[in-house]
Amino acid sequence: FVTCQLPYPPNTGGAIITLHHIEHLAARNRVDLICFKPRKGLAELGELSRWCNTIELIARTPRWRVALEMIKGLAIDPSPEISYWKSGVMARAVDRRLATENYDVVLFQLVTSAQFRPSWYQGPTIWSFEAPIAMKMQRELPVQPWHTRLWNREIIRRLNRYEKEQAPHFDCITCLNEEEYPDYRSASGGPRVRGVPYGVDVDFFCPSDDIARREGMIVITGNMFWGPNVDAVDYFCRDIFPLICEQEPSAVLWIVGADPVRSVRKWSNPRIRVTGFVPDLRVYLRQAMVSVCPMRARVGILTKVLEALACGTPVVSTSAGNYGIGAISGKHLHVADEPVQFADKVVSLLRRDRWCELSQNGREFVVEGFTWERSGAKLEQILRELLATRRPDMNFEELCQRPDGRI
C-alpha cells in the first residue's frame, strides 16, 4: 500500500478504508505499507504494526517547502492537494522498494499517491479512489459559494486531464460508488474500473437497549465544514425544519459534526443544537428518533446514512443522499426530494409510524451489504483476478488458495 496519510487513527474516510482493507488482506497476504509520518509525531499504530509485514514512515517535507510547492503548483499542478503532498523523499522510497522487492500487486491510495508511481515499473498496480475526484468536484459546484466556482472549474479541468494521463499506467482502478462507473469508464480512457463497496463496522455501530430514544429528536451528522454538508444543513433548517415544527411541537434538531462553520453555527437556537466535534457519534444516533440526510449534491456514498441505519435509526434522505447506497424507499429508509414531502416523512417517524419496521430493515440492509468483511473480500478478489491475468502460469483457483501474496 502506498498512501500519503497514515491510516491510524482512522479519522478520515480514506484512512478508514485503508485500515480495514489492510486488516482483511493481512489475514492471507503479506502487506507492506509506505506512508508519511504525521507532523505531530507518532503516538501509536494500533493494530497496524501487527497486520503489516513492514511499515515505512517517510518524513514530511518541511513546511516552507510545502508552501513553495503549493505556490508553484497554482500554475502547473492538477490540484493544491497534489502539490501539498509532493515529496522527492517519498518518490525515492517507493522507487527503491519496488526495485528491490517482488510484489504481486501495488495499491496506490487516492489521487494524491499516483505521483509516486515510478514510470519504469511494470508490475501490477491499482489506483484506488473513494470517488474520481474531478467528477466529485464537478457535482459539488452547484452548492459551492459563487466566488469559488471559477477557480474550482479550473481545478476540475486540470484534474480531468491528470486522471486521463495517469489512468493508463494502472492495471485497474477501484471506486466505491457503482453508479459512477459508466461515466468514469469513458472519462478515464478505458482501464478496468471495478467496484469495492464501502463498509461500516456493524458491531460498533449498532442499536443499544441501554439508551432510550428521545421523543422529537432529529439528528444530522457529518463534518460541518464540508460544502455539501453545509448546504444540506442550510436547506434543512431553512426549508424543512419549520414545516416539521408546525406539525410536531416537540421536534428538536441536533447538528452533530466537527468544525461547524459560521453558516452552520448561525442556526443555533433552543430548538436547534450545534454540538461541534463529539467523541462518540453513537450516543446521538442511538438517542435520535430520526436521522436526516438532506444532501443536494451527488457526491458518492455517504457514511452518515449507513452509520445511522446500522444503529437502527430510521433515515429520511434526498435521492442524492441515497446515491450509491441503493436503499429502497419505504422499506429501508424514506427518500423525499421536496421540502413538504421530506417534512411529512420525518413527522411520521417522530410519531412512530412504521418506526420499528424501518429500524429493523435499515440495519439488516447495512449488515447484508456494507460490512468491511464484504468490502475486503471484494478487493482481494480483484487483486487475485488481476494477478491471474499477469501470471498465466497460475489459474485463478490456485491464486485464491495461495496464502502468501505480497501487497
Side-chain angles (χ1 to χ4, degrees):
F1 275 76
V2 180
T3 184
C4 290
Q5 184 183 20
L6 179 69
Y8 193 89
N11 51 15
T12 67
I16 291 169
I17 294 166
T18 303
L19 185 69
H20 283 287
H21 284 169
I22 288 176
E23 177 185 11
H24 179 87
L25 291 171
R28 297 206 304 166
N29 306 274
R30 286 193 291 164
V31 178
D32 291 344
L33 172 67
I34 303 179
C35 60
F36 286 105
K37 185 177 181 179
R39 283 198 188 279
K40 295 182 179 179
L42 186 63
E44 58 177 311
L45 290 171
E47 294 294 298
L48 265 178
S49 56
R50 183 169 65 86
W51 296 333
C52 292
N53 176 53
T54 65
I55 300 174
E56 185 173 356
L57 299 177
I58 306 301
R60 289 296 314 275
T61 304
R63 293 183 188 277
W64 68 267
R65 185 62 182 267
V66 171
L68 180 61
E69 291 290 354
M70 293 188 72
I71 293 171
K72 289 164 53 181
L74 292 174
I76 59 174
D77 283 346
S79 76
E81 190 176 15
I82 291 174
S83 302
Y84 179 80
W85 290 108
K86 273 188 174 180
S87 169
V89 177
M90 172 65 92
R92 289 189 293 273
V94 174
D95 193 271
R96 181 176 61 253
R97 180 64 67 91
L98 298 188
T100 57
E101 300 284 348
N102 183 25
Y103 289 104
D104 292 316
V105 186
V106 183
L107 293 92
F108 292 82
Q109 301 290 103
L110 307 181
V111 70
T112 51
S113 67
Q115 61 187 305
F116 302 120
R117 187 194 186 282
S119 59
W120 58 264
Y121 188 65
Q122 299 298 313
T125 55
I126 286 182
W127 199 7
S128 179
F129 290 149
E130 291 179 54
I133 191 67
M135 186 178 296
K136 184 177 179 182
M137 288 185 65
Q138 183 67 47
R139 290 171 179 171
E140 290 177 14
L141 276 179
V143 300
Q144 290 177 341
W146 64 269
H147 58 276
T148 67
R149 292 178 190 171
L150 184 62
W151 172 242
N152 284 334
R153 285 193 180 97
E154 171 61 16
I155 295 299
I156 291 167
R157 184 189 68 80
R158 294 187 193 183
L159 280 169
N160 272 320
R161 183 178 63 195
Y162 181 73
E163 289 178 8
K164 289 179 181 179
E165 291 172 351
Q166 291 289 338
H169 300 298
F170 293 89
D171 296 87
C172 180
I173 295 174
T174 63
C175 302
L176 298 180
N177 190 340
E178 290 189 10
E179 295 181 28
E180 289 173 337
Y181 303 159
D183 293 343
Y184 189 65
R185 280 196 184 99
S186 59
S188 63
R192 289 193 303 149
V193 180
R194 302 289 300 275
V196 178
Y198 195 75
V200 171
D201 187 340
V202 295
D203 295 325
F204 184 80
F205 287 98
C206 61
S208 173
D209 295 333
D210 298 328
I211 300 177
R213 299 286 175 173
R214 296 176 60 172
E215 296 297 323
M217 182 174 174
I218 305 165
V219 66
I220 179 170
T221 63
N223 290 322
M224 292 303 161
F225 55 86
W226 185 43
N229 280 342
V230 173
D231 174 77
V233 167
D234 191 61
Y235 170 55
F236 186 80
C237 292
R238 183 188 64 241
D239 296 341
I240 300 173
F241 190 59
L243 302 177
I244 295 171
C245 292
E246 289 176 4
Q247 302 179 65
E248 195 59 43
S250 66
V252 177
L253 173 65
W254 290 74
I255 301 173
V256 182
D259 302 324
V261 296
R262 181 182 300 178
S263 56
V264 172
R265 297 195 305 270
K266 74 178 182 182
W267 293 107
S268 181
N269 63 54
R271 298 192 68 169
I272 300 179
R273 319 282 175 81
V274 182
T275 69
F277 170 80
V278 298
D280 191 344
L281 184 62
R282 296 173 300 171
V283 173
Y284 298 86
L285 291 176
R286 288 168 170 172
Q287 293 183 77
M289 292 292 297
V290 187
S291 177
V292 295
C293 182
M295 301 288 288
R296 296 194 289 183
R298 294 191 310 162
V299 288
I301 292 177
L302 297 174
T303 310
K304 67 185 76 187
V305 174
L306 298 175
E307 291 172 344
L309 293 175
C311 285
T313 305
V315 171
V316 181
S317 174
T318 56
S319 297
N322 192 38
Y323 176 68
I325 293 175
I328 299 174
S329 181
K331 180 179 180 181
H332 306 125
L333 45 64
H334 287 310
V335 174
D337 290 315
E338 297 299 326
V340 172
Q341 182 188 20
F342 200 111
D344 288 345
K345 294 299 183 183
V346 173
V347 169
S348 71
L349 288 168
L350 291 178
R351 295 174 177 173
R352 294 187 178 271
D353 180 22
R354 298 182 60 215
W355 192 95
C356 291
E357 178 187 349
L358 266 73
S359 173
Q360 181 177 343
N361 289 349
R363 175 162 172 83
E364 289 176 354
F365 173 74
V366 175
V367 169
E368 292 173 3
F370 290 92
T371 63
W372 284 117
E373 290 76 12
R374 184 172 182 268
S375 178
K378 180 64 174 179
L379 176 60
E380 186 168 13
Q381 178 187 0
I382 290 170
L383 300 185
R384 293 184 181 275
E385 288 176 354
L386 172 59
L387 187 55
T389 65
R390 299 291 293 264
R391 288 286 304 276
D393 57 310
M394 298 181 69
N395 62 39
F396 181 64
E397 288 73 19
E398 290 174 326
L399 286 164
C400 286
Q401 299 300 319
R402 182 181 173 188
D404 60 342
R406 291 293 312 273
I407 299 169

